[in-house]
């Protein structure tokens, strides 16, 4: 038990496997090693999840070249309807459409909406602000060309897990600051809100969940210039343009070094009058979105997130969207 929380049995097993792997390492792994291990683990877990979801990969223009977007369409969804633009996690240095394929299939299935997963540029090849530029550009292109993506322009949400949740929040902030229509809803799963994270109690409580050396490596690759640590595009707790943001759902695992900073962002949004629904999952750890396949408690948390998305996009229970939004069974 830590901080009056007990980690789920399945998560305890994952922590032990991670600790064993670390003991077998003779040095801090490289970015290439981290990516390889992440891809092998997450892509293998994703196999066979909700195969009935139809997918289509497209490429759209981006600030640094073409951006790949994968569209997930539930079988019951026909014609234009609401959608979620999703940004994967991975510390801004790893992750992809493939590593989060199961996450998007799950959300598409249980929220009955299209999911558009964005393959933004990663550091160190493309350090800050490349990921932010891709995320903002992708969202606005999807809204402006909504008919090409089969979505309703005034019913597009943003979401993501970990680093992707940070990007989703920045997309909303950018819209408010530039006086353009923001997303209609935000789905933020364990967002990092301060790139340094110092001064938050959870950072000291849960180093066994996310290795501080790995966190530092990811930060330094993504943002090598410490003078930018307070930039609100990387530390969203520093953002001041928050009035007018859409309703937002924030999920916090009980065992997460970033838990307290994520919950500080919830408090900040509430001070600015944003409609926020916050859910702490006391038995789960950072990354639960990507291992719901092996942890029943993580699956429950993801079902809650999918239902929050359904509510945020006003999709009626047991209904799919058709044409201009007429519900069909």
């Amino acid at each position: 038990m830590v901080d009056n929380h007990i980690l789920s049995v399945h998560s305890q097993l994952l922590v032990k496997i991670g600790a064993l792997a670390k003991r077998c390492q003779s040095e801090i792994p490289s970015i290439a090693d981290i990516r390889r291990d992440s891809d092998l683990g997450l892509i293998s877990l994703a196999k066979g999840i909700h195969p009935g979801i139809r997918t289509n990969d497209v490429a759209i223009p981006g600030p640094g070249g073409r951006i790949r977007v994968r569209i997930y369409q539930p079988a019951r969804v026909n014609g234009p309807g609401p959608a979620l633009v999703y940004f994967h996690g991975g510390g801004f240095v790893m992750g992809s459409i493939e590593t989060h394929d199961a996450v998007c299939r799950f959300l598409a299935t249980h929220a009955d909406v299209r999911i558009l997963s964005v393959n933004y540029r990663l550091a160190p090849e493309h350090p800050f602000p490349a990921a932010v530029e891709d995320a903002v550009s992708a969202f606005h292109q999807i809204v402006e060309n909504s008919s090409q993506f089969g979505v309703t322009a005034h019913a597009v949400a943003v979401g993501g897990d970990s680093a992707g949740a940070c990007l989703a929040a920045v997309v909303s902030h950018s819209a408010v600051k530039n006086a353009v229509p923001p997303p209609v809803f935000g789905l933020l799963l364990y967002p990092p809100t301060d790139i340094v994270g110092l001064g938050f109690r959870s950072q000291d409580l849960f180093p066994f969940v996310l290795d501080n050396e790995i966190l530092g490596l990811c930060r330094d690759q993504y943002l090598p210039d410490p003078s930018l640590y307070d930039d609100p595009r990387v530390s969203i707790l520093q953002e001041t343009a928050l009035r007018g943001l859409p309703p937002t759902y924030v999920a916090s695992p009980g065992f997460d070094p970033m838990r307290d900073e994520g919950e500080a962002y919830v408090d900040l949004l509430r001070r600015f009058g944003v409609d926020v629904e916050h859910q702490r999952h006391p038995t789960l750890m950072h990354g639960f979105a990507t291992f719901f396949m092996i942890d029943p408690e993580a699956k429950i948390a993801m079902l809650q997130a999918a239902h929050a998305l359904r509510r945020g996009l006003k999709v009626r229970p047991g209904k799919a969207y058709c044409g201009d939004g007429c519900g069909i069974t």
Side-chain angles (χ1 to χ4, degrees):
M1 178 180 291
V2 181
D3 203 26
N4 294 318
H5 294 334
I6 298 176
L7 191 60
S8 74
V9 173
H10 297 81
S11 293
Q12 290 181 43
L13 178 60
L14 290 174
V15 169
K16 290 178 180 178
I17 291 172
L20 179 61
K22 184 180 179 182
R23 285 199 295 269
C24 295
Q25 295 170 349
S26 58
E27 57 187 22
I28 297 177
S30 66
I31 292 297
D33 292 334
I34 294 173
R35 286 176 177 170
R36 182 197 63 231
D37 294 344
S38 172
D39 287 355
L40 286 173
L42 295 180
I43 292 174
S44 62
L45 281 176
K47 290 181 178 179
I49 298 296
H50 297 298
I53 297 291
R54 300 192 296 273
T55 64
N56 180 36
D57 284 16
V58 299
I60 60 176
R66 307 289 283 179
I67 302 173
R68 187 160 63 103
V69 177
R70 178 169 295 169
I71 306 170
Y72 295 81
Q73 181 172 331
R76 296 195 304 163
V77 173
N78 300 290
L84 171 73
V85 178
Y86 193 86
F87 305 103
H88 65 78
F92 302 105
V93 303
M94 56 186 164
S96 66
I97 288 176
E98 280 73 25
T99 61
H100 285 64
D101 184 70
V103 176
C104 293
R105 288 177 181 273
F106 185 94
L107 291 174
T109 297
H110 294 284
D112 267 337
V113 299
R114 286 183 180 85
I115 309 294
L116 289 84
S117 182
V118 178
N119 218 53
Y120 57 89
R121 287 173 290 169
L122 298 176
E125 296 87 350
H126 305 285
F128 173 81
V132 169
E133 292 173 345
D134 284 358
V136 172
S137 176
F139 173 77
H140 288 297
Q141 287 189 68
I142 289 167
V143 172
E144 291 167 3
N145 302 283
S146 57
S147 61
Q148 298 179 22
F149 296 95
V151 306
T152 301
H154 60 268
V156 182
V158 290
D161 63 291
S162 195
C166 176
L167 292 176
V170 171
V171 169
S172 293
H173 299 168
S174 174
V176 168
K177 287 193 283 191
N178 289 290
V180 298
V184 298
F185 183 73
L187 183 76
L188 310 183
L189 307 178
Y190 39 89
T193 65
D194 185 311
I195 199 163
V196 179
L198 298 178
F200 292 101
R201 182 166 166 267
S202 58
Q203 280 277 349
D204 299 324
L205 287 174
F206 308 115
F208 58 90
V209 173
L210 271 178
D211 190 297
N212 287 331
E213 291 179 329
I214 299 299
L215 286 175
L217 176 65
C218 292
R219 179 194 63 222
D220 294 344
Q221 298 295 319
Y222 179 57
L223 191 67
D225 184 356
S227 70
L228 296 176
Y229 284 174
D230 287 335
D231 190 308
R233 294 172 296 172
V234 294
S235 295
I236 57 177
L237 270 180
Q238 303 301 318
E239 185 57 80
T240 57
L242 298 173
R243 296 196 185 278
L245 288 179
T248 301
Y249 177 88
V250 180
S252 302
F255 289 79
D256 184 359
M258 301 174 191
R259 182 194 70 192
D260 291 354
E261 64 188 77
E263 295 182 354
Y265 183 66
V266 170
D267 293 338
L268 179 65
L269 291 178
R270 286 175 174 160
R271 288 201 298 272
F272 277 83
V274 179
D275 181 9
V276 183
E277 179 182 354
H278 172 241
Q279 180 67 55
R280 181 189 281 193
H281 300 286
T283 65
L284 296 178
M285 65 181 184
H286 191 92
F288 69 75
T290 54
F291 53 81
F292 70 86
M293 302 77 82
I294 58 175
D295 189 337
E297 294 183 54
K299 183 176 182 179
I300 292 172
M302 287 300 292
L303 282 171
Q304 291 176 339
H307 293 164
L309 176 61
R310 179 189 286 275
R311 293 192 300 271
L313 288 174
K314 297 179 171 58
V315 179
R316 286 177 287 172
K319 302 288 184 178
Y321 268 73
C322 172
D324 292 331
C326 57
I328 60 173
T329 302

